Amino acid sequence: MTDHVAWDALNDYADGVLDETTRSAIEVHLAACRECRGRLEEMEVLVREVSRLPREFAPPVEAWASIREEVERRKVVSMPGAAGRRPAHRNWSQRPWLLAAAALVLMVSSSAVTALYIRRGELPPAVASNPPSLAMPVALLDVERGYVTSVKELAAALDAARPNLAPGTIQIVERNLAVIDAAIAESREALLRDPGNRVLQDVLAGSYRQKLDLLRRAAQLAAS
Amino acid sequence: MDLETAIARLPAGARRVFVLYAVEGYRHEEIARVMGVAEGTVRAQMHRARKLLMEVLDR
């Protein structure tokens, strides 16, 4: 047999993310192709081995601690996962008000730090203009919850290292953060009017990523 | 090379997605939400992570 299942499709099959028609076609092929069955088995063995690694296993990646924290915070309600894998747990999406409250607390608590490079004594524009409320769209919360804690942590790291930065550098960081926060505020306002707009969600997420990147670079510069 | 080292050496995006999927047990759509990316991006990172891991682990 020469027309084997493509690598990407076999990956998606292993992850259970294919539609039924494609999945059925691959299963027909697998039944007749030992080579593809072997490749699939290798993929599944790899994931099984990784799933047995200790939960505290955490590769050193930027903002990884924040992602783990976010993941752990949502592990309250058990939900069925894929066969043989750890179940995923979360309840934030079912209780958006809880997330809104946490987001407000996190961003307000970080304001003393972020004020150093935004405008002293004021909340970041993204918070000041649109404080999280019970009526906040879930889509907006979904975008922001992956970033709020990371921003807070990086801002704290930068604050701690601030004495090492030249005044000119701090001014540049402040100016850039102000621009990014203005973009965040604008996207948030637009999302509040049109919560289902995926483009706006992507734009907002992109602005948060820019902010994280800037904070990370500044903190690294201060620490070097 | 052991598995943990191999994972630690993955590019950051592929590593995050792969660990969230394989270690934490999250589904693609959930990872996409947490990371603020499209599901297609999650799929692509999974493809990349598996390919690189298998190469470096010589499988």
Side-chain angles (χ1 to χ4, degrees):
Chain A
M1 185 167 297
T2 54
D3 294 330
H4 295 297
V5 179
W7 169 266
D8 290 0
L10 205 54
N11 266 270
D12 292 341
Y13 177 83
D15 291 349
V17 294
L18 291 174
D19 61 76
E20 193 172 338
T21 304
T22 310
R23 191 171 62 244
S24 298
I26 288 176
E27 283 170 353
V28 168
H29 177 88
L30 287 172
C33 182
R34 180 180 298 177
E35 187 175 332
C36 285
R37 284 202 304 275
R39 290 166 65 210
L40 175 64
E41 175 64 15
E42 286 171 356
M43 291 178 185
E44 291 174 340
V45 164
L46 180 64
V47 170
R48 277 203 298 276
E49 287 178 7
V50 175
S51 72
R52 288 196 286 267
L53 290 173
R55 295 305 296 272
E56 57 272 18
F57 168 67
V61 296
E62 312 122 6
W64 175 251
S66 305
I67 292 175
R68 272 196 78 87
E69 193 177 301
E70 200 62 40
V71 167
E72 291 300 324
R73 202 180 3 250
R74 281 180 273 140
K75 286 179 181 166
V76 178
V77 177
S78 180
M79 292 177 71
R85 297 176 51 220
R86 288 182 176 120
H89 314 276
R90 66 223 53 120
N91 74 338
W92 287 81
S93 59
Q94 293 145 8
R95 302 167 73 183
W97 59 270
L98 196 57
L99 181 64
L104 179 61
V105 168
L106 285 171
M107 295 200 80
V108 168
S109 64
S110 69
S111 65
V113 176
T114 53
L116 289 171
Y117 28 80
I118 300 175
R119 283 191 290 274
R120 191 169 294 279
E122 294 180 14
L123 287 174
V127 175
S129 58
N130 290 296
S133 72
L134 303 190
M136 226 170 157
V138 172
L140 180 52
L141 298 173
D142 275 348
V143 171
E144 295 197 322
R145 68 182 168 195
Y147 298 99
V148 171
T149 309
S150 303
V151 166
K152 175 177 175 284
E153 287 181 353
L154 284 169
L158 179 56
D159 185 39
R162 191 172 185 255
N164 300 330
L165 284 175
T169 304
I170 293 173
Q171 280 182 354
I172 292 171
V173 172
E174 286 175 352
R175 271 204 304 272
N176 281 281
L177 280 170
V179 170
I180 295 171
D181 277 323
I184 288 174
E186 192 176 345
S187 299
R188 292 178 93 256
E189 282 174 15
L191 260 179
L192 285 170
R193 290 192 297 271
D194 184 9
N197 190 321
R198 294 297 297 266
V199 173
L200 289 175
Q201 291 171 23
D202 289 345
V203 169
L204 179 59
S207 296
Y208 272 114
R209 281 196 293 273
Q210 277 188 319
K211 183 168 181 173
L212 281 176
D213 186 55
L214 176 60
L215 286 171
R216 191 185 67 244
R217 284 168 190 271
Q220 283 173 344
L221 181 65
S224 63
Chain B
M1 185 185 296
D2 64 39
L3 191 51
E4 293 191 24
T5 304
I7 293 172
R9 291 186 180 181
L10 285 173
R15 184 167 56 221
R16 286 176 189 163
V17 167
F18 188 76
V19 171
L20 281 173
Y21 178 83
V23 180
E24 302 288 351
Y26 273 71
R27 290 186 283 263
H28 285 207
E29 63 189 84
E30 297 163 336
I31 296 169
R33 274 214 305 276
V34 166
M35 294 186 64
V37 299
E39 279 189 55
T41 303
V42 174
R43 282 193 192 195
Q45 296 287 23
M46 281 296 296
H47 300 164
R48 189 178 183 204
R50 275 204 181 96
K51 187 176 277 294
L52 291 171
L53 285 174
M54 287 188 168
E55 281 174 8
V56 75
L57 295 170
D58 199 22
R59 296 186 182 181

